[in-house]
Amino acid sequence: QVQLVESGGGLVQAGGSLRLSCTTSGRTNSAYAVGWFRQAPGKEREFVAAIYSSIGIKQYADSAKGRFTISRDNAKNTVYLQMNSLKLEDTAVYYCATKLGYMSQTAGAYDYWGQGTQVTVSS
C-alpha cells in the first residue's frame, strides 16, 4: 500500500521560509509523479507544484513560480517543497499526493494523499 507522510509545516512570519517534506513508501513503479496541493479554509484545494520522479520535470502554479522550489531525493523516497518569501495568502494545509505516470495539476488525478501539514504565515 502506498503511503505518504508530510512534515515541515509550522508558523512563520511573512517573508520567511519553510521546507516541507513528503516521504513515500510502497511505490514500486519508478515512473510516478508527486504533487503538492494546498487548501485554505473555505477554499478549494489548489495545485502548487509537481515533479515527475523518473526525469525530474517540474511544474509550478503561477502563485509559486519564483518563490517555491520542488525537488526530490529518490534515494530517500522524499520530495521537498522549499518555500521562500512566504506571504499571508500562502497560509493553508499543504498536502502531497502521488500518481502513476506524468504530472497533473488536477487533484482528482492523484491516487494517494498524505495527511497534510499546516503552514501559517503571520504578519
Side-chain angles (χ1 to χ4, degrees), residues 18-80:
L18 281 174
R19 188 178 78 160
L20 306 182
S21 300
C22 173
T23 300
T24 63
S25 61
R27 177 67 81 186
T28 57
N29 190 312
S30 62
Y32 63 93
V34 174
W36 284 99
F37 292 78
R38 67 187 183 186
Q39 189 165 19
K43 294 187 177 182
E44 293 187 353
R45 193 167 297 190
E46 65 175 2
F47 171 76
V48 176
I51 188 166
Y52 185 44
S53 65
S54 61
I55 52 178
I57 295 177
K58 306 171 185 180
Q59 291 181 350
Y60 294 95
D62 288 343
S63 60
K65 289 178 182 177
R67 299 189 300 127
F68 295 2
T69 302
I70 190 169
S71 62
R72 77 197 194 284
D73 183 337
N74 287 342
K76 296 182 178 180
N77 293 323
T78 299
V79 171
Y80 304 99

Side-chain angles (χ1 to χ4, degrees), residues 71-90:
S71 62
R72 77 197 194 284
D73 183 337
N74 287 342
K76 296 182 178 180
N77 293 323
T78 299
V79 171
Y80 304 99
L81 185 68
Q82 177 67 43
M83 305 187 295
N84 299 327
S85 303
L86 283 162
K87 304 176 182 180
L88 297 178
E89 53 263 40
D90 294 318

